[in-house]
Amino acid sequence: MRANTFVSPGKTRVERVPDPKILNDQDAIVRITSTAICGSDLHLYNGFIPTVEPGDIFGHEFMGEVVEVGKGTRKVKKGDRVVVAFPIACGSCYQCGRQMYSCCENSNPNAWIAEKLMGHSPAGVFGYSHMMGGFAGGQAEYARVPFADVGTIKVPDGMTDEQVLFLSDIFPTGYMGAEMCDIKPGDVIAVWGCGPVGLFAMASAYLLGAERVIGIDRVEARLRVAREKVKAETINYEEHDVYRTLMEMTGGRGPDSVIDAVGMEAHGSTAMFLVDRVKQGLMLENDRPNVLRDAIMCCRSGGTVSVVGVYSGLIDKFPMGSVMNRSLRIMTGQCHVQRYMKPLLERIRKGEIDPTFLITHRANLDDAPAMYRTFRDKQDECIKVVLKP
Ligand code: NAD
Ligand code: ZN
Ligand code: ZN
């Protein structure tokens, strides 16, 4: 089969590789019909995750037709059209029993690598390097899906791939980002990053009852989608000081909750307020502002800081003093996708949200290497790429 594989930082290649085979009773093989490129793929592509190796198949957002099942599967059947959740979860361990699927204790065969970095291991993830289990990803013609009964949802007849594909990751992730804010009527929610995850976090904040949603980015095409499709207010952080603008917009108190939908590769500084403080010697130079710091500083006292942007554990900065003295609540996690697939599918079916609003590019799998560049560089007003193997 053909698959999009890692070559070196900034480079992938579509190669011929062996077809996947059933290895365990609970596996399914899926013939992929649609797959997407995610901001999380960029951490690998940019060389931020050291456990990626040449030849690794990328991709954790995919769906397709089940062409083969292991003899231990109960629910999934040959011929089913399914969307696949990005975390691989067994469904029966301590964490899965608490719906903490992205912390599954049985799905990461390379747990020892992750434990060294994080204390305990998170779940295995498709196409996310050896630290996350070394599973082949879904930017390919076929994929092996372990624990297929737990990690797939059957697509109802009449729904298109594009309507349901994002149930694999970014819709549940954005939704969990908003849900973690415990939104109350009247709440103002500020979201750093108007990429796919940030846009779904904003849309979800409205679904969960927020009164105002404010999106922050510097890419005008993305800010425009936030305004026009999500009906958010926006701040371009290259034109405005985010801290001061947010205080003006909220009567000096700050947003009730803030969501970091950017992660560790945040570009530049967002709040000159913090730069001033560095200049005044009030902050160490190597504590330079990043999105997480800014979000924490801007959040109203007693509010929630919800972090869905990915951090690696190596380069993260964290202003504990602000969190402690102002009674902030920090919520975070890799999305427990399996928890959200069914309720969010229902919301799509009822027409409460149309997830296709952020698709800007559709291409063949063979175009994946070029599409990675377009997506990374935000060329051609790119927000989300869907590949059709
Ligand atoms: P993306 O790269 O397309 O979007 C990131 C956006 O952040 C871009 O529009 C960029 O311009 C903006 N940005 C950069 N620096 C900024 C700054 N200083 N202030 C404000 N905005 C800034 O990625 P995405 O697909 O939307 O994903 C966003 C993040 O969510 C990534 O870190 C990704 O790994 C993470 N993610 C987490 C989960 C999870 O389960 N928690 C799942 C999927 C993605
Ligand atoms: Zn993703
Ligand atoms: Zn489990």
Side-chain angles (χ1 to χ4, degrees), residues 14 23 49 92 117 243 330 350 385:
V14 176
L23 298 180
I49 313 259
S92 47
L117 199 62
Y243 179 88
I330 308 281
K350 284 190 195 146
V385 182

Side-chain angles (χ1 to χ4, degrees), residues 337-354:
V337 174
Q338 287 84 339
R339 200 197 279 173
Y340 299 99
M341 285 174 116
K342 206 170 162 206
L344 294 184
L345 177 75
E346 210 37 43
R347 283 190 186 264
I348 300 168
R349 222 179 44 76
K350 284 190 195 146
E352 291 174 26
I353 181 165
D354 173 9

Side-chain angles (χ1 to χ4, degrees), residues 6-12 39-54 56 58 128-129 131 264-265 310 312 314-315 372 376:
F6 180 69
V7 178
S8 57
K11 196 166 179 200
T12 68
S40 294
D41 293 323
L42 295 181
H43 309 312
L44 298 165
Y45 183 68
N46 290 339
F48 273 67
I49 313 259
T51 55
V52 62
E53 286 173 15
D56 286 353
F58 279 178
Y128 220 76
S129 89
M131 180 176 77
M264 60 187 165
E265 284 140 280
V310 161
S312 72
L314 290 170
I315 52 164
Y372 263 75
R376 177 196 60 193

Side-chain angles (χ1 to χ4, degrees), residues 32 42 80 82 96 114 137 148 152 154 165 177 189 238 243 249 252 263 277 290 359 362 383:
I32 294 161
L42 295 181
D80 283 355
V82 295
C96 286
T152 62
K154 194 172 166 181
L165 174 61
I189 312 295
E238 285 193 326
Y243 179 88
M249 293 169 90
R277 289 174 65 83
N290 64 12
I359 302 173
R362 296 169 176 88
I383 296 179

Side-chain angles (χ1 to χ4, degrees), residues 123-248:
V125 171
F126 292 101
Y128 220 76
S129 89
H130 297 268
M131 180 176 77
M132 302 304 251
F135 293 95
Q139 288 164 12
E141 288 179 287
Y142 295 89
R144 177 177 76 94
V145 177
F147 303 116
D149 283 339
V150 183
T152 62
I153 187 167
K154 194 172 166 181
V155 181
D157 290 342
M159 293 182 88
T160 64
D161 275 23
E162 292 185 358
Q163 278 179 296
V164 294
L165 174 61
F166 302 139
L167 290 170
S168 58
D169 178 352
I170 54 171
F171 185 15
T173 296
Y175 190 87
M176 187 171 108
E179 192 186 64
M180 289 190 296
C181 297
D182 192 17
I183 296 171
K184 304 274 187 302
D187 273 4
V188 182
I189 312 295
V191 181
W192 272 254
C194 298
V197 171
L199 290 168
F200 272 123
M202 289 178 226
S204 301
Y206 278 130
L207 287 175
L208 290 167
E211 184 163 312
R212 290 170 66 198
V213 175
I214 304 167
I216 301 151
D217 206 301
R218 67 175 176 143
V219 180
E220 208 32 66
R222 294 179 171 209
L223 290 165
R224 197 176 63 234
V225 170
R227 281 192 301 272
E228 291 175 3
K229 301 280 167 97
V230 185
K231 308 292 176 210
E233 298 162 67
T234 59
I235 303 174
N236 183 326
Y237 70 82
E238 285 193 326
E239 291 168 7
H240 300 280
D241 180 298
V242 175
Y243 179 88
R244 289 188 186 121
T245 310
L246 281 174
M247 293 314 126
E248 279 162 22

Side-chain angles (χ1 to χ4, degrees), residues 265-389:
E265 284 140 280
H267 165 274
S269 150
T270 64
M272 285 158 216
F273 157 78
L274 291 170
V275 176
D276 291 346
R277 289 174 65 83
V278 173
K279 284 192 195 137
Q280 290 161 25
L282 293 173
M283 225 179 248
L284 299 175
E285 192 62 47
N286 68 356
D287 273 352
R288 75 189 153 70
N290 64 12
V291 163
L292 184 53
R293 289 192 69 92
D294 285 355
I296 289 171
M297 298 291 176
C298 290
C299 188
R300 80 149 158 78
S301 296
T304 300
V305 179
S306 164
V307 183
V308 284
V310 161
Y311 288 84
S312 72
L314 290 170
I315 52 164
D316 316 333
K317 307 250 171 52
F318 195 77
M320 194 59 203
S322 177
V323 175
M324 190 272 158
N325 287 293
R326 300 197 304 106
S327 299
L328 298 180
R329 194 173 73 122
I330 308 281
M331 298 290 287
T332 186
Q334 292 284 2
C335 185
H336 306 290
V337 174
Q338 287 84 339
R339 200 197 279 173
Y340 299 99
M341 285 174 116
K342 206 170 162 206
L344 294 184
L345 177 75
E346 210 37 43
R347 283 190 186 264
I348 300 168
R349 222 179 44 76
K350 284 190 195 146
E352 291 174 26
I353 181 165
D354 173 9
T356 63
F357 75 94
L358 43 61
I359 302 173
T360 51
H361 289 67
R362 296 169 176 88
N364 191 277
L365 179 65
D366 295 323
D367 302 322
M371 283 295 131
Y372 263 75
R373 288 192 293 275
T374 304
F375 176 62
R376 177 196 60 193
D377 299 339
K378 297 156 187 73
Q379 291 163 356
D380 194 19
E381 307 207 334
C382 182
I383 296 179
K384 192 74 180 174
V385 182
V386 176
L387 302 167
K388 307 271 181 183

